[in-house]
Amino acid sequence: MQKEIISSSTPWYKTRVSSTLGIEYPIIQGPLGGLSTQRLTAIVSNFGGLGSFGAHGLSPSGIKDVISEIRELTTKPFAINLWVSTEDEGARASGKEEFVRSLKHLAGHIEALGGTLPDHKPYVPVRFEDQVRVLLDAKIPIFSFIAGIPPKEILDECRTRGILTIGTATTAAEAMVLDQAGVSVIVASGFEAGGHRGSFLLPAEDSLTGTFSLTPQVVDAVSAPVVAAGGIADARGIVAAFALGAEGVQIGTAFLVSEDSGASVHHRNALLSRKAQRTSLTKGFTGRLARGVHNQLIEELNRPGVDILPYPLQRMLVRSLVVPAEKAGRTELLQLWAGQSASLVQQSDAKTLLRTLISETTAVADPVVDWNRERRCKRSR
Ligand SMILES: Cc1cc2nc3c(=O)[nH]c(=O)nc-3n(C[C@H](O)[C@H](O)[C@H](O)COP(=O)(O)O)c2cc1C
């Protein structure tokens, strides 16, 4: 049996994730909502991975433009990512009084940086239904999403139009409902991951399973192929994810560091510094739980008694600090989105990162992957 495993001729990257998505390498550049670029998406797709563009903050016409621009840069499959749930309870009822209360925690910094204190403006919600309509009409190759499951009619329409779907789970229970809904691929997102927790069954605070525990639980619970996300930054992480039964990986932070992402120089330098060894979860950046490099801003906003507006109002409010802080290069007051493995990441461009990940993984992965293939076969017998 050992001999048979080692002598298999199927390389590690030929998995159900690569065949389902029509890509060569089952490495997904995770969507980076707000910091995605058309260029990064296309570089990864052209290389044979899957480039994803995080479009949740864009208007329908903005999304339409992004799709055309990506199509000018690549003919390979790419994904556009949306958030199914676009606001938290209380966002519509929240008024000037709440705004002023939350602003007071940031006002001192904004004024010290010479910024203008924002006025309260009525909230204009972004509608998922309008955003997704653009993806459907444009017949994009792959629609990925977090923070819920799109209504059945939308998933049916994806199937009719030949659009593949990638759903994101932060618990095994979420993975099971995504599987029942018939998504093509499931991302198991461990709590090491940078950016937001896209939890949708339980509150994000109660959905903090790490990638090492979550991935095999999800693999055992669903029939769709599973992609592991969270804390994967080099070939060791990829091999470990495959050993846990994943058939692909989704990497965010390592691509964020690459000069092809939309992260600012200050953000990228912070990720490459020792500061990145400590990350924390906070609701203070946007109103939803998210991970970033631990800094003064997180510390202040995580203090008990600080008033945080419901998502997405807090996101808009914090922007009025981030813009002047960015100009002044004050990293301690920025939203330094990052996953727990940020300090493993080296400076490189996206192509070099992919080349290194693939060659180093190839050196060790095949026996591990074959062992899991064997295991899956036995399970389905
Ligand atoms: C700045 C940033 C923005 C992100 N935005 C999104 C998003 O809009 N949608 C999504 O599904 N995942 C988003 N993610 C998660 C990534 O796509 C990916 O799953 C995660 O970063 C993987 O963990 P890692 O950071 O440890 O590599 C984001 C991550 C970061 C760092």
Side-chain angles (χ1 to χ4, degrees), residues 29-35 54-56 81-83 144-146 168 187 189-190 192-196 229-233 250-254 256 267 291 337-341:
Q29 165 257 313
L32 303 169
L35 299 177
H56 72 87
N81 178 275
L82 294 178
W83 293 20
S144 81
F145 52 85
I146 56 165
T168 310
V187 173
S189 173
E192 297 91 327
H196 287 84
I232 302 167
Q250 178 162 294
I251 298 176
T253 302
L256 192 62
H267 190 166
R291 184 177 294 285
W337 310 106
Q340 286 187 324
S341 294

Side-chain angles (χ1 to χ4, degrees), residues 79-263:
I80 302 287
N81 178 275
L82 294 178
W83 293 20
V84 180
S85 146
T86 53
E87 66 182 26
D88 280 344
E89 219 181 300
R92 291 180 192 219
S94 181
K96 185 161 182 181
E97 207 177 298
E98 290 82 358
F99 176 84
V100 170
R101 251 201 323 259
S102 298
L103 175 61
K104 94 175 174 273
H105 304 293
L106 303 173
H109 291 311
I110 298 173
E111 283 172 334
L113 287 163
T116 318
L117 290 185
D119 291 325
H120 175 255
K121 290 197 193 84
Y123 163 50
V124 184
V126 170
R127 281 170 32 95
F128 166 76
E129 293 75 11
D130 300 336
Q131 294 177 313
V132 80
R133 176 49 43 205
V134 178
L135 310 193
L136 294 165
D137 290 346
K139 284 198 193 158
I140 56 157
I142 300 164
F143 163 37
S144 81
F145 52 85
I146 56 165
I149 306 185
K152 183 180 176 310
E153 314 79 71
I154 289 178
L155 291 178
D156 285 345
E157 197 172 338
C158 284
R159 278 185 279 270
T160 319
R161 291 177 181 251
I163 300 171
L164 298 164
T165 49
I166 304 179
T168 310
T170 62
T171 61
E174 289 177 353
M176 282 192 268
V177 288
L178 284 165
D179 203 34
Q180 280 153 16
V183 301
S184 320
V185 166
I186 296 174
V187 173
S189 173
F191 100 133
E192 297 91 327
H196 287 84
R197 300 297 294 147
S199 308
F200 58 94
L201 288 183
L202 291 173
E205 292 84 347
D206 299 322
S207 309
L208 296 179
T209 314
T211 305
F212 238 83
S213 296
L214 181 65
T215 305
Q217 285 176 39
V218 171
V219 167
D220 288 351
V222 302
S223 58
V226 174
V227 166
I232 302 167
D234 58 23
R236 290 173 293 184
I238 298 180
V239 176
F242 274 71
L244 297 170
E247 295 181 67
V249 292
Q250 178 162 294
I251 298 176
T253 302
F255 282 106
L256 192 62
V257 173
S258 83
E259 55 218 44
D260 304 299
S261 86

